[in-house]
Amino acid sequence: MNNSKARLNPEGFKFVTTYNRDQLSTDIVHIGFGAFHRGHQAVYNDLTNDLTSAPWGICEVNMFGSPDLVNDLKAQDHLFSVVEKSATSMDSRLVRTVCEAIHTPVDGIEVAIEKIAEPQVKIVSLTITEKGYCADPQSGTLDLTNALIQNDLANPKQPKSALGLITEALRVRRERGLNPISILSCDNIPENGLLTKNAIVSFATQIDADLAKWIEENVTFPSTMVDRIVPAMTADEFEVIEALTGYADPCGVVCEDFRQWVIEDNFVAGRPDWSVAGAKFVSDVLPYEEMKLRMLNGSHSFLAYNGSLAGFEYIYQCMQDASFRTATLRLMKQEQAKSLSPDLDVDLDQYAELLVGRFSNANIKHKTAQIAMDGSQKLPQRAVDPLTHLQAAGVSATCLPTLVAGWLHFTINAVEQDKEIFDPMAEQFKQAVKAASTPAEKARALLSVDKIFGANGAAGTDFSKAVEAAFTSIQQSGIESYIESIAANKELA
Ligand SMILES: NC(=O)c1ccc[n+]([C@@H]2O[C@H](COP(=O)([O-])OP(=O)(O)OC[C@H]3O[C@@H](n4cnc5c(N)ncnc54)[C@H](O)[C@@H]3O)[C@@H](O)[C@H]2O)c1
C-alpha cells in the first residue's frame, strides 16, 4: 500500500451522501473515535443527514492512544471510508458527518471541555470501551480506587477520564447558564445509560454536591443497544479499502453489512431522527440490550476463550468447526435465551440462527484474541448474570460454565506462558495465579476475584461448582473433545 500520492476521492465510493457539509457544526461531541463508532453511529448519522432537513455534525474526541488517527482525519477534511461486507459482496461508503476532531493529549483537555460547553452542543456520545466507565464490573458502581478517577478528583479541571471530562464540561455549561444536554453511551454494557448516569453523578458528588444534583435532575442518559461487528483493522483490510476506493484510508474501517441500534428516547436537547436510517427508538432498551449482550456478545466470549484454546484465530473459523457451531447454538438457544425477559417480542431461535450466520461470514476477520481482551469487564453481563439467573430458576446449563472455564484456562495459560494480558485487572490475575500451585487452585484463585464474580465465585456455590467441573473437563479431555462432547450430547439437543 502506497498512499504518498493517493487521495480520498468521493468518486471512488459506491455510496456518497449529498447533503451540504457547509451547514455542519458540532451538535454531537463523540468521545472514543474507535473502529466501532466509525462503522456504526457515524454511518447512521451520515445517512440521517441525507434524509432530514438539518444535518447534525460530530466533533470526534480521543483521549488516549496515538494522535495519528485524528491527524489523518483532519488531513482528509474529516471524511473517512466504511466498507461493508456480506458473505458474498462488498460496498464502499464515504462518511461525511464529522466536522471537527480533537486529540486531548496533544490539543489539551481544555479544548475538549470548551467544545462540549459550546451552546449548540446537544449530545455527548461515548464508545470508550467498558473500562472507560471506571466502574466496578460486578456492582456497576464508580470505582473510587481507579487511578484515572483519583487523578480527576484531585484535579477536576484537568481530567484524564471521560467521566471527569464530561463532569467538568457540564459544570462549565451550568455556570454559563447553558441548557443541559444528553450523554449517550454506545458501549456494550447492560443499562449503559444508567451506569453512565450513576458513574457521573457519583463522581460529581465527590466534587460538588450541588453540581451532582443539577446533573441528576437535568442531564439525561439514554440507554442504547448497539450492534454491528467492526473488527480492528489489519493491513489486509486497508488493502481491501484501497482496492475498492483507490485510497488505503488510514481512518477507514471494514465491517459486516448488518447493523442495528435501539435507543431509549430520552433526549433533553433534541436528537437526530436516526430512525430514518433504521434505528429504533423505544421507551425501555433493557430487554434488547440483554438479548444482544447475552446471545451475541456472550457467544463471542465463549468462542474467544474456547476458540483461542482450540487454536482458532478468527470467529468465522470457529463456525467452520461443526462442534463449535453446535455448541454455540446451544449456548444461545438453550441457555442465554432462557435467561431473558419472557416479554421480549423477538423470535430467539431465529435470532440465534441469524447470529450464527453473521459469525460465519468469512469476509469478516474478527479475531478471537480481540474479543478476549478486557474479560474482567465483560464476564459479569455476558456470563455471570445469565448463569446465576438460570441456576436460580432451576435450569441446567453446560455452555455458560464452559464460557467461564474457557476464560480461566485462557488467563492461566497467559500467566504461565508470560504472555501479555490485555485487561485492566491483569496484575491482579498474575498475582492470583502465581500464588497458587495446582490448576484447580489457580482456577479457584481467579474465581475469587470479587470484582468479577462477587459472592457467586466463593467455594461451594452452584456457580463455582459448575464452572470448576467444566474447567476440569477441559483440562482432562482437551478443549476439542470437550466441545465435541457438548455438541454430541443428545440430552442438550
Ligand atoms: N467493534 C465492535 O464490533 C463493537 C460492536 C458493538 C459495540 N462495541 C463497543 O464499542 C467499544 C469500542 O470498540 P472499538 O471497536 O471502537 O474499539 P477501538 O479499540 O477501535 O476504540 C476504542 C476507543 O475507546 C477509547 N478509549 C479506550 N479506553 C478509554 C478510556 N479509559 N477513556 C476514554 N476513552 C477510552 C480509545 O481512545 C478509542 O477511541 C467496545 O468496547 C464496545 O463496548 C464494539
Side-chain angles (χ1 to χ4, degrees):
M1 125 178 127
N2 178 3
N3 262 5
S4 56
K5 296 226 173 65
R7 286 218 180 290
L8 191 149
N9 178 3
E11 286 178 10
F13 290 79
K14 175 153 182 199
F15 298 116
V16 185
T17 50
T18 56
Y19 59 88
N20 182 359
R21 286 187 85 226
D22 295 342
Q23 290 177 11
L24 290 178
S25 62
T26 292
D27 303 284
I28 300 173
V29 176
H30 181 79
I31 308 177
F33 184 59
F36 180 63
H37 166 77
R38 281 175 271 161
H40 190 262
Q41 183 187 345
V43 170
Y44 276 94
N45 211 63
D46 188 51
L47 292 172
T48 301
N49 283 348
D50 227 22
L51 299 167
T52 48
S53 54
W56 285 54
I58 304 179
C59 172
E60 305 292 350
V61 176
N62 263 348
M63 302 179 72
F64 292 92
S66 153
D68 292 355
L69 192 61
V70 162
N71 286 339
D72 289 332
L73 184 69
K74 286 179 180 169
Q76 53 197 51
D77 192 20
H78 304 100
L79 300 172
F80 62 89
S81 326
V82 173
V83 167
E84 297 168 340
K85 280 182 172 181
S86 73
T88 51
S89 64
M90 48 186 132
D91 286 322
S92 58
R93 182 182 290 290
L94 181 66
V95 174
R96 303 168 62 246
T97 185
V98 178
C99 53
E100 293 183 89
I102 297 168
H103 188 74
T104 60
V106 173
D107 299 317
I109 194 72
E110 307 78 6
V111 179
I113 294 168
E114 278 304 320
K115 185 53 62 186
I116 298 173
E118 284 181 1
Q120 82 289 345
V121 169
K122 302 160 192 75
I123 295 172
V124 173
S125 53
L126 304 167
T127 46
I128 54 175
T129 77
E130 291 84 343
K131 63 184 174 299
Y133 296 83
C134 307
D136 180 294
Q138 174 60 220
S139 68
T141 54
L142 181 67
D143 180 2
L144 291 169
T145 66
N146 180 290
L148 289 176
I149 294 302
Q150 289 194 339
N151 170 82
D152 293 2
L153 289 175
N155 314 283
K157 297 202 168 147
Q158 284 291 314
K160 292 206 163 98
S161 73
L163 303 180
L165 164 60
I166 294 168
T167 305
E168 174 58 11
L170 290 173
R171 189 195 67 74
V172 173
R173 288 190 77 93
R174 176 173 175 248
E175 186 178 78
R176 293 181 188 165
L178 295 171
N179 62 295
I181 56 177
S182 296
I183 314 298
L184 183 69
S185 167
C186 296
D187 276 296
N188 274 333
I189 310 173
E191 300 195 88
N192 49 15
L194 186 63
L195 179 120
T196 312
K197 178 175 185 173
N198 289 342
I200 289 180
V201 171
S202 302
F203 178 81
T205 303
Q206 301 286 322
I207 300 170
D208 175 346
D210 284 347
L211 173 65
K213 189 163 182 286
W214 181 83
I215 293 173
E216 196 164 12
E217 289 173 359
N218 295 283
V219 175
T220 63
F221 297 82
S223 282
T224 58
M225 179 271 245
V226 291
D227 193 4
R228 174 167 248 190
I229 296 170
V230 189
M233 287 296 287
T234 61
D236 286 353
E237 299 297 24
F238 284 115
E239 280 176 18
V240 167
I241 298 182
E242 184 175 25
L244 270 188
T245 71
Y247 176 61
D249 181 356
C251 304
V253 289
V254 176
C255 57
E256 65 172 338
D257 56 343
F258 179 92
R259 61 181 159 81
Q260 191 178 16
W261 197 10
V262 185
I263 309 161
E264 180 187 345
D265 201 0
N266 182 22
F267 291 82
V268 70
R271 53 144 173 95
D273 186 6
W274 289 310
S275 69
V276 299
K280 183 169 176 163
F281 288 102
V282 298
S283 57
D284 182 12
V285 178
L286 184 61
Y288 297 93
E289 278 178 73
E290 283 190 342
M291 174 187 82
K292 189 255 171 180
L293 276 167
R294 293 182 184 181
M295 299 208 23
L296 188 156
N297 301 107
S299 305
H300 259 170
S301 291
F302 175 86
L303 296 169
Y305 301 119
N306 293 302
S308 286
L309 293 174
F312 294 122
E313 189 180 0
Y314 297 109
I315 292 292
Y316 78 87
Q317 293 171 331
C318 301
M319 291 297 98
Q320 290 170 344
D321 179 297
S323 300
F324 266 94
R325 191 184 173 95
T326 305
T328 305
L329 272 169
R330 287 200 166 151
L331 167 66
M332 290 190 207
K333 290 185 183 179
Q334 287 159 25
E335 300 186 15
Q336 300 287 38
K338 290 183 181 164
S339 76
L340 297 171
S341 161
D343 301 334
L344 199 64
D345 61 344
V346 177
D347 180 328
L348 293 174
D349 277 356
Q350 252 179 29
Y351 183 62
E353 300 289 345
L354 170 82
L355 291 178
V356 166
R358 288 169 61 196
F359 291 179
S360 307
N361 183 347
N363 277 326
I364 296 299
K365 305 281 191 299
H366 206 181
K367 287 194 169 161
T368 47
Q370 186 195 343
I371 300 163
M373 286 180 197
D374 292 346
S376 66
Q377 313 292 303
K378 297 173 175 174
L379 287 177
Q381 60 270 27
R382 298 181 185 197
V384 182
D385 292 350
L387 180 52
T388 50
H389 180 98
L390 290 183
Q391 288 178 330
V395 178
S396 73
T398 303
C399 301
L400 274 166
T402 304
L403 191 173
V404 182
W407 175 78
L408 293 172
H409 278 292
F410 182 88
T411 307
I412 293 168
N413 289 352
V415 174
E416 289 181 340
Q417 293 162 18
D418 214 14
K419 287 190 192 151
E420 186 170 1
I421 300 176
F422 297 93
D423 194 294
M425 297 180 71
E427 278 314 309
Q428 196 175 335
F429 299 160
K430 281 185 205 161
Q431 283 174 15
V433 171
K434 284 183 179 163
S437 39
T438 65
E441 283 166 8
K442 289 173 187 172
R444 174 98 305 281
L446 287 175
L447 279 171
S448 304
V449 177
D450 218 37
K451 285 189 175 176
I452 306 176
F453 300 106
N456 306 300
T461 63
D462 287 349
F463 181 93
S464 286
K465 282 195 249 171
V467 173
E468 283 164 344
F471 179 85
T472 307
S473 298
I474 294 174
Q475 192 191 331
Q476 288 173 347
S477 321
I479 189 67
E480 289 90 349
S481 307
Y482 179 62
I483 297 291
E484 253 173 54
S485 71
I486 293 182
N489 188 341
K490 296 278 179 285
E491 280 175 30
L492 298 174

